[in-house]
Amino acid sequence: MSQSDSSFALTRRSLLVGAALSCALPQAAAAEPAGFDQWREAFRAKARAKGISDQTYSRVMGRIEPDMSVFRKMQKQPEFHEQLWQYINRRVSDWRITAGREALRQNEAVFGKIERDFGVERGTLLALWGVESAYGDPLVQQNHMRPVFPSLAALAWNEPRRRSYWETELINALTIVQRGWSTPDEMRGSWAGAMGHTQWMPEVWLNVGIDYDGDGRVSPFGRPDDALGSTARFLVNRGKYRRGEHWGYEVRAPGLSGGATRSYAAWAEAGVTRADGRPFPLPGASAQLWIPVEGGPAFLIGPNFMAVKSYNPSMNYALAICHLGDRILGAPPFLNPFPGSERALTLAEVKELQTRLTALGFDTGGTDGRVGNDTMKAVRDFQLKAGLLPADGYGGLKVLARLRQGS
């Protein structure tokens, strides 16, 4: 399968990574220095002071070796510089929409319960689940995740700028094992320690996670109930998600610029209308006008858009999640296209693109119709070889047309 992009889009304030860094590190951090054994024994006292028993510490840390590749991951995360329409197309893909509808069908009762308990719309949670772990696909866990303790130990030991953060997360992870919620072998995740269906850092697991399926433990793995219920709780408690309000709407706002916040009724009086012509359901609710790209679609975004943004502090990410949720539930693409944009490829077209790239010797990591970092790198390498500029890694209609022509 192609590498999932979701597990590696780590940002400072997100639920996924908390405070994971994207800054460049000194070259010395990339090589394994001496002293890990001494650090490990000294850190035992810090763990003990936080309630970690010697038995738990020895079980987890006794023979562990630091995963020094995390420092290369920090320094060399993929850079593809997508335009917003490309970013949206890749995340609101045909595969994610289709698979999201099937995930909803299989978990209808869970989503209904979450809506009653927390008021979080099912579309939002489905989209988060789909982007973060491809709806819990075990192949993502198997092929693209790693044991988190060697990673966290390396970061807690030798990450020079946020060492105290990583020390805390390592102790959080040890606490999870001590509580019997998980085992070191089960705790596999991203290089920064984010785990499970909705990619929890240990801090979130401990402080936001709930036993939503009633099996006696809190877990982001296995059945999705705990992960989805806890993510809804996160959106309510930390994101201030509002029951009964939609995230916002694509609108037509002739002559207006973004930034101001008013009630939907006031926006309507100012000439703003929904792009689909329907009325605003809650005229008294407030929303901000946002026009992300001049000449592209405009949006009125409310508090629940910002709740999604609390999960990952990127406006583009929040828009992709909100739009994917709407699409899964049957909404159309944006009615006003972004300037210079292409329509998104269908699932069959993505598979064809991957198959043609693979036949030419460009490794897409599979031909499953999912576009992650492997496929994007293959596209970029093909663009460079074929002289298609900019070589941005976006596998769209133009790249597919060139592949069909032969190169």
Side-chain angles (χ1 to χ4, degrees), residues 284-302:
S286 63
Q288 174 186 347
L289 180 61
W290 180 42
I291 305 174
V293 178
E294 188 68 30
F299 305 93
L300 285 181
I301 55 175

Side-chain angles (χ1 to χ4, degrees), residues 111 114-115 118-122 124-125 232-233 235-236 241:
F111 285 105
I114 288 172
E115 287 178 333
F118 297 101
V120 176
E121 291 182 341
R122 59 187 61 193
T124 299
L125 287 176
R233 185 188 185 201
L235 293 173
V236 171
Y241 191 99

Side-chain angles (χ1 to χ4, degrees), residues 297-310:
F299 305 93
L300 285 181
I301 55 175
N304 290 348
F305 183 95
M306 296 304 174
V308 174
K309 187 171 177 285
S310 75

Side-chain angles (χ1 to χ4, degrees), residues 61-109:
M61 301 289 290
R63 295 184 178 180
I64 202 168
E65 294 293 334
D67 182 356
M68 301 305 291
S69 70
V70 297
F71 300 107
R72 292 191 297 274
K73 292 286 187 181
M74 277 185 165
Q75 291 175 305
K76 298 179 180 179
Q77 294 189 67
E79 294 287 345
F80 291 107
H81 304 294
E82 298 168 297
Q83 297 183 59
L84 179 53
W85 66 267
Q86 295 172 324
Y87 182 96
I88 297 292
N89 280 358
R90 196 161 70 84
R91 287 156 182 83
V92 188
S93 65
D94 200 10
W95 182 87
R96 280 205 179 97
I97 293 168
T98 301
R101 289 170 181 167
E102 177 61 18
L104 175 58
R105 186 190 68 79
Q106 294 181 3
N107 298 276
E108 180 82 33

Side-chain angles (χ1 to χ4, degrees), residues 143-219:
N143 295 337
H144 305 304
M145 299 297 164
R146 63 180 65 200
V148 300
F149 278 106
S151 299
L152 291 175
L155 292 162
W157 165 45
N158 206 45
E159 198 287 289
R161 303 190 188 191
R162 292 295 296 267
R163 183 172 293 140
S164 63
Y165 168 77
W166 297 113
E167 287 180 350
T168 299
E169 284 293 42
L170 177 55
I171 290 172
N172 288 336
L174 288 165
T175 303
I176 289 165
V177 173
Q178 183 159 292
R179 290 186 181 182
W181 287 358
S182 191
T183 66
D185 290 339
E186 183 185 39
M187 293 171 69
R188 296 174 58 86
S190 73
W191 63 264
M195 294 170 273
H197 289 283
T198 49
Q199 290 289 276
W200 295 353
M201 287 299 287
E203 183 274 330
V204 173
W205 193 339
L206 280 179
N207 297 318
V208 183
I210 53 176
D211 178 14
Y212 205 58
D213 62 5
D215 69 352
R217 68 181 190 134
V218 179
S219 177

